[in-house]
Amino acid sequence: MQVSMDWIDHRLVQALQVDGRATQLELSKQVKLSQPATAERMRKLEDAGVITGYSARVDATKLGKDVTAFVGVSIEHPKYFEQFAKKVLGLEEVLECHRVAGADSYLLKVKTATTGTLDALLVETLRTIPGVTRTNTTIVLSSVKEETRVHVAKALLDEGGAR
């Protein structure tokens, strides 16, 4: 469900995506509001679920996670979806899990230390989950772009822009 937002909300969301550590005072200058008004806007955006949290972006290789892979998972019947989703939520190697249309039921983005730990994740964990019939793995050799920001149309950032 889309939330009603004005240009100030859009500009605030964009600014926080660029720099999640910006102070409320810095943000208030960017959106041309007082600090208390900016804090209230942020609280409302959090309450509405537009802002879902704050985190730091890290270099996974510096944390010993050298292998990135995308894993397509086929599930034999929808009755297994809930059980599969619950299991995946507990797997620290899985960064993203999406139920998809097409040949696979789910698409996972995973990061592991080595190809050996990736193999163990596939064979000892994912393929043992009830309902899983097949996995299809693509290993990333290099990444051209990894983005976390959701871009806001320029028209929505301008004062008086569309709502």
Side-chain angles (χ1 to χ4, degrees):
M1 180 174 135
Q2 192 168 355
V3 176
S4 178
M5 295 171 49
D6 64 12
W7 70 272
I8 295 171
D9 295 325
H10 281 94
R11 192 176 283 175
L12 185 56
V13 167
Q14 185 72 8
L16 282 167
Q17 287 186 103
V18 170
D19 182 5
R21 292 184 65 177
T23 65
Q24 289 178 354
L25 184 59
E26 292 167 336
L27 293 167
S28 69
K29 290 176 184 173
Q30 290 184 50
V31 298
K32 299 177 175 58
L33 290 178
S34 68
Q35 182 275 323
T38 299
E40 179 63 15
R41 291 273 186 145
M42 289 174 63
R43 186 194 59 72
K44 286 180 180 177
L45 290 166
E46 291 165 357
D47 290 347
V50 174
I51 297 172
T52 59
Y54 301 88
S55 65
R57 292 187 300 263
V58 299
D59 184 336
T61 59
K62 292 189 170 127
L63 296 174
K65 304 294 183 180
D66 292 330
V67 177
T68 301
F70 290 90
V71 181
V73 180
S74 295
I75 307 288
E76 71 179 81
H77 191 276
K79 69 181 180 183
Y80 295 107
F81 286 177
E82 186 177 343
Q83 185 177 3
F84 177 81
K86 284 180 182 175
K87 178 69 174 176
V88 167
L89 287 173
L91 300 175
E92 66 181 34
E93 301 91 344
V94 177
L95 301 182
E96 298 179 20
C97 175
H98 308 275
R99 193 158 67 81
V100 296
D104 296 317
S105 306
Y106 288 89
L107 182 63
L108 312 179
K109 179 179 180 181
V110 303
K111 288 197 182 271
T112 64
T114 65
T115 55
T117 55
L118 174 61
D119 185 46
L121 174 67
L122 295 171
V123 175
E124 298 169 14
T125 305
L126 292 176
R127 291 184 189 151
T128 64
I129 299 171
V132 172
T133 58
R134 180 181 67 82
T135 61
N136 179 37
T137 304
T138 301
I139 296 176
V140 174
L141 299 177
S142 66
S143 297
V144 175
K145 180 179 180 179
E146 282 189 288
E147 185 97 24
T148 59
R149 287 189 298 165
V150 175
H151 292 273
V152 178
K154 183 176 178 347
L156 297 174
L157 298 174
D158 294 334
E159 189 170 347
R163 290 181 187 209

Short mmCIF file of all heavy atoms in Angstrom, two decimals, residues 4 10 16 27 33 41 45 51 67 83 91 97 101 105-106 113 129 138-140 142 152 156:
data_model
loop_
_atom_site.label_atom_id
_atom_site.label_comp_id
_atom_site.label_asym_id
_atom_site.label_seq_id
_atom_site.Cartn_x
_atom_site.Cartn_y
_atom_site.Cartn_z
N SER A 4 0.73 8.25 1.39
CA SER A 4 0.66 9.61 0.87
C SER A 4 1.85 10.41 1.42
O SER A 4 2.02 10.53 2.64
CB SER A 4 -0.65 10.27 1.29
OG SER A 4 -0.68 11.59 0.84
N HIS A 10 9.48 12.99 0.52
CA HIS A 10 10.33 12.36 -0.50
C HIS A 10 11.78 12.82 -0.39
O HIS A 10 12.71 12.02 -0.47
CB HIS A 10 9.78 12.65 -1.91
CG HIS A 10 8.62 11.79 -2.27
ND1 HIS A 10 7.33 12.20 -2.08
CD2 HIS A 10 8.55 10.55 -2.79
CE1 HIS A 10 6.51 11.24 -2.48
NE2 HIS A 10 7.22 10.22 -2.91
N LEU A 16 18.06 10.51 3.63
CA LEU A 16 18.42 9.44 4.57
C LEU A 16 19.02 8.24 3.85
O LEU A 16 19.90 7.56 4.38
CB LEU A 16 17.19 9.01 5.38
CG LEU A 16 16.83 9.95 6.52
CD1 LEU A 16 15.44 9.64 7.05
CD2 LEU A 16 17.87 9.87 7.63
N LEU A 27 19.52 17.23 8.28
CA LEU A 27 18.36 16.88 7.46
C LEU A 27 17.36 18.03 7.41
O LEU A 27 16.79 18.32 6.35
CB LEU A 27 17.69 15.62 7.99
CG LEU A 27 18.51 14.33 7.86
CD1 LEU A 27 17.89 13.23 8.71
CD2 LEU A 27 18.63 13.91 6.41
N LEU A 33 12.94 22.60 7.04
CA LEU A 33 12.03 22.56 8.20
C LEU A 33 12.86 22.71 9.47
O LEU A 33 14.07 22.55 9.44
CB LEU A 33 11.30 21.21 8.26
CG LEU A 33 10.25 20.88 7.23
CD1 LEU A 33 9.71 19.48 7.47
CD2 LEU A 33 9.11 21.90 7.29
N ARG A 41 8.46 14.25 11.17
CA ARG A 41 8.30 13.65 9.83
C ARG A 41 8.97 12.28 9.79
O ARG A 41 8.40 11.33 9.26
CB ARG A 41 8.91 14.54 8.76
CG ARG A 41 8.21 15.83 8.50
CD ARG A 41 7.11 15.65 7.48
NE ARG A 41 6.52 16.93 7.15
CZ ARG A 41 6.08 17.25 5.95
NH1 ARG A 41 6.16 16.39 4.96
NH2 ARG A 41 5.53 18.41 5.73
N LEU A 45 7.18 8.68 9.09
CA LEU A 45 7.64 7.80 8.01
C LEU A 45 8.02 6.42 8.55
O LEU A 45 7.79 5.40 7.89
CB LEU A 45 8.81 8.44 7.25
CG LEU A 45 8.44 9.65 6.40
CD1 LEU A 45 9.69 10.42 5.97
CD2 LEU A 45 7.61 9.24 5.19
N ILE A 51 10.16 4.12 6.17
CA ILE A 51 11.52 3.89 6.67
C ILE A 51 11.44 2.65 7.55
O ILE A 51 10.76 2.64 8.57
CB ILE A 51 12.05 5.10 7.47
CG1 ILE A 51 12.14 6.33 6.57
CG2 ILE A 51 13.41 4.78 8.09
CD1 ILE A 51 12.48 7.61 7.30
N VAL A 67 32.37 -15.20 -1.31
CA VAL A 67 31.55 -15.76 -2.38
C VAL A 67 30.13 -15.22 -2.30
O VAL A 67 29.47 -15.32 -1.27
CB VAL A 67 31.52 -17.32 -2.30
CG1 VAL A 67 30.61 -17.89 -3.38
CG2 VAL A 67 32.92 -17.89 -2.41
N GLN A 83 6.90 -23.17 5.31
CA GLN A 83 7.97 -23.88 6.01
C GLN A 83 9.34 -23.49 5.45
O GLN A 83 10.29 -23.27 6.19
CB GLN A 83 7.76 -25.39 5.90
CG GLN A 83 8.74 -26.21 6.68
CD GLN A 83 8.44 -27.70 6.58
OE1 GLN A 83 7.54 -28.14 5.90
NE2 GLN A 83 9.23 -28.49 7.29
N LEU A 91 18.73 -18.48 8.30
CA LEU A 91 20.04 -18.75 7.68
C LEU A 91 20.81 -17.45 7.48
O LEU A 91 20.44 -16.61 6.66
CB LEU A 91 19.84 -19.46 6.33
CG LEU A 91 19.12 -20.80 6.37
CD1 LEU A 91 18.90 -21.34 4.96
CD2 LEU A 91 19.91 -21.79 7.22
N CYS A 97 15.68 -13.11 0.12
CA CYS A 97 14.86 -14.24 -0.30
C CYS A 97 13.59 -13.68 -0.93
O CYS A 97 12.85 -12.94 -0.27
CB CYS A 97 14.52 -15.15 0.88
SG CYS A 97 13.39 -16.50 0.47
N ALA A 101 8.09 -15.58 -9.86
CA ALA A 101 7.39 -16.28 -10.92
C ALA A 101 8.44 -16.81 -11.89
O ALA A 101 9.51 -16.22 -12.03
CB ALA A 101 6.43 -15.33 -11.64
N SER A 105 10.76 -21.19 -7.63
CA SER A 105 9.78 -20.68 -6.67
C SER A 105 10.34 -19.52 -5.87
O SER A 105 9.62 -18.59 -5.51
CB SER A 105 9.38 -21.80 -5.71
OG SER A 105 8.93 -22.93 -6.40
N TYR A 106 11.65 -19.60 -5.56
CA TYR A 106 12.33 -18.58 -4.77
C TYR A 106 13.67 -18.24 -5.41
O TYR A 106 14.29 -19.10 -6.06
CB TYR A 106 12.59 -19.06 -3.33
CG TYR A 106 11.35 -19.12 -2.48
CD1 TYR A 106 10.57 -20.27 -2.44
CD2 TYR A 106 10.96 -18.02 -1.72
CE1 TYR A 106 9.42 -20.32 -1.67
CE2 TYR A 106 9.80 -18.08 -0.94
CZ TYR A 106 9.04 -19.22 -0.93
OH TYR A 106 7.91 -19.27 -0.16
N ALA A 113 31.75 -17.79 2.92
CA ALA A 113 33.20 -17.61 3.00
C ALA A 113 33.92 -18.22 1.79
O ALA A 113 34.82 -17.61 1.22
CB ALA A 113 33.74 -18.21 4.29
N ILE A 129 15.47 -29.17 3.01
CA ILE A 129 14.22 -28.57 3.46
C ILE A 129 13.07 -29.28 2.73
O ILE A 129 13.09 -29.40 1.50
CB ILE A 129 14.20 -27.05 3.18
CG1 ILE A 129 15.33 -26.35 3.94
CG2 ILE A 129 12.84 -26.44 3.56
CD1 ILE A 129 15.52 -24.89 3.57
N THR A 138 24.08 -19.59 -9.38
CA THR A 138 24.94 -18.75 -10.20
C THR A 138 25.89 -18.03 -9.26
O THR A 138 25.45 -17.31 -8.35
CB THR A 138 24.11 -17.71 -10.99
OG1 THR A 138 23.17 -18.41 -11.81
CG2 THR A 138 24.99 -16.83 -11.84
N ILE A 139 27.20 -18.25 -9.46
CA ILE A 139 28.21 -17.61 -8.61
C ILE A 139 28.64 -16.29 -9.26
O ILE A 139 28.91 -16.24 -10.46
CB ILE A 139 29.43 -18.53 -8.40
CG1 ILE A 139 28.98 -19.78 -7.62
CG2 ILE A 139 30.56 -17.81 -7.68
CD1 ILE A 139 30.07 -20.82 -7.43
N VAL A 140 28.71 -15.25 -8.46
CA VAL A 140 29.10 -13.92 -8.92
C VAL A 140 30.63 -13.87 -9.03
O VAL A 140 31.33 -14.19 -8.07
CB VAL A 140 28.59 -12.84 -7.95
CG1 VAL A 140 29.11 -11.46 -8.35
CG2 VAL A 140 27.07 -12.86 -7.88
N SER A 142 32.21 -10.88 -10.36
CA SER A 142 32.47 -9.50 -9.94
C SER A 142 31.15 -8.75 -10.01
O SER A 142 30.24 -9.13 -10.74
CB SER A 142 33.52 -8.83 -10.83
OG SER A 142 33.03 -8.66 -12.15
N VAL A 152 14.04 8.14 -5.97
CA VAL A 152 12.82 8.93 -5.97
C VAL A 152 12.87 9.83 -7.20
O VAL A 152 13.89 10.49 -7.45
CB VAL A 152 12.71 9.78 -4.68
CG1 VAL A 152 11.48 10.65 -4.70
CG2 VAL A 152 12.74 8.88 -3.46
N LEU A 156 9.30 14.45 -7.70
CA LEU A 156 8.78 14.28 -6.34
C LEU A 156 9.66 14.97 -5.31
O LEU A 156 9.24 15.13 -4.16
CB LEU A 156 8.63 12.80 -6.02
CG LEU A 156 7.63 12.02 -6.87
CD1 LEU A 156 7.70 10.55 -6.55
CD2 LEU A 156 6.23 12.56 -6.70
#
